[in-house]
């Protein structure tokens, strides 16, 4: 499938320009240019042959060699080969997670009377949201 430049940019930026399997850097300008440093292609987390779609939540940037060696195996198995369990997260996702965690922390802190405890709840919620928030991408 062919993607326009705007869609390729979205896919590339989902993982901050890193291969979602091995996490080494990619070069945006080397999309589809096998043999070039940082060459990459769009990888389907769930392969199309197994019912995967072309929706953004299934598309990742990956080195051509990483993608080809993954084949139809699961993404988690391919990442484990490199010692990872999840894709690198985009800066936008991290900010959303920290914001949501901060709101939850503030609500928890508001239930506790002393003002300094409220600030601790806010800070703890932001840290927790940053560290454990779930990545949700627009369609």
């Amino acid at each position: 499938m062919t993607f326009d430049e705007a869609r390729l940019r979205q896919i590339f930026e989902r993982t901050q320009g890193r291969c979602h399997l091995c996490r080494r850097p990619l070069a945006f300008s080397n999309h589809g240019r096998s043999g070039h440093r940082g060459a990459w292609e769009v990888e389907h987390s769930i392969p199309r042959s197994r019912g995967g779609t072309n929706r953004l939540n299934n598309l990742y940037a990956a080195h051509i060699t990483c993608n080809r060696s993954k084949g139809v195996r699961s993404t988690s198995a391919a990442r484990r080969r490199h010692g990872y369990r999840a894709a690198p997260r985009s800066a936008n996702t991290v900010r959303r997670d920290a914001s949501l965690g901060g709101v939850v922390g503030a609500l928890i802190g508001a239930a506790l009377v002393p003002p300094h405890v409220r600030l601790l709840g806010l800070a703890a919620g932001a840290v927790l949201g940053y560290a454990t928030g779930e990545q949700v991408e627009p369609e």
Side-chain angles (χ1 to χ4, degrees):
M1 162 138 212
T2 305
F3 298 98
D4 64 24
E5 187 167 340
R7 187 58 146 190
L8 288 174
R9 181 65 64 186
Q10 282 182 308
I11 295 165
F12 184 82
E13 290 177 358
R14 285 188 71 196
T15 56
Q16 297 182 5
R18 295 190 169 274
C19 175
H20 88 111
L21 299 172
C22 73
R23 296 199 181 180
R24 291 186 324 234
L26 303 168
F28 183 78
S29 60
N30 286 340
H31 173 259
R33 300 181 70 198
S34 186
H36 290 79
R37 186 177 184 92
W40 66 284
E41 61 190 4
V42 175
E43 198 273 324
H44 291 76
S45 183
I46 300 171
R48 288 183 290 176
S49 63
R50 293 196 174 174
T53 68
N54 284 322
R55 294 172 65 151
L56 186 59
N57 64 353
N58 191 47
L59 304 175
Y60 288 91
H63 287 109
I64 294 172
T65 54
C66 291
N67 186 28
R68 303 287 166 87
S69 68
K70 176 193 171 225
V72 296
R73 290 183 302 140
S74 74
T75 297
S76 59
R79 286 183 184 145
R80 269 196 308 271
R81 284 186 46 220
H82 298 284
Y84 298 108
R85 291 182 358 178
R89 294 164 51 140
S90 73
N92 290 337
T93 300
V94 170
R95 276 196 292 279
R96 278 196 309 268
D97 294 343
S99 298
L100 179 61
V103 169
V104 171
L107 293 173
I108 293 169
L112 306 171
V113 179
H116 67 281
V117 177
R118 290 181 191 165
L119 291 175
L120 286 174
L122 176 65
V127 169
L128 184 63
Y130 180 88
T132 64
E134 185 173 330
Q135 183 171 344
V136 178
E137 296 292 336
E139 293 304 320

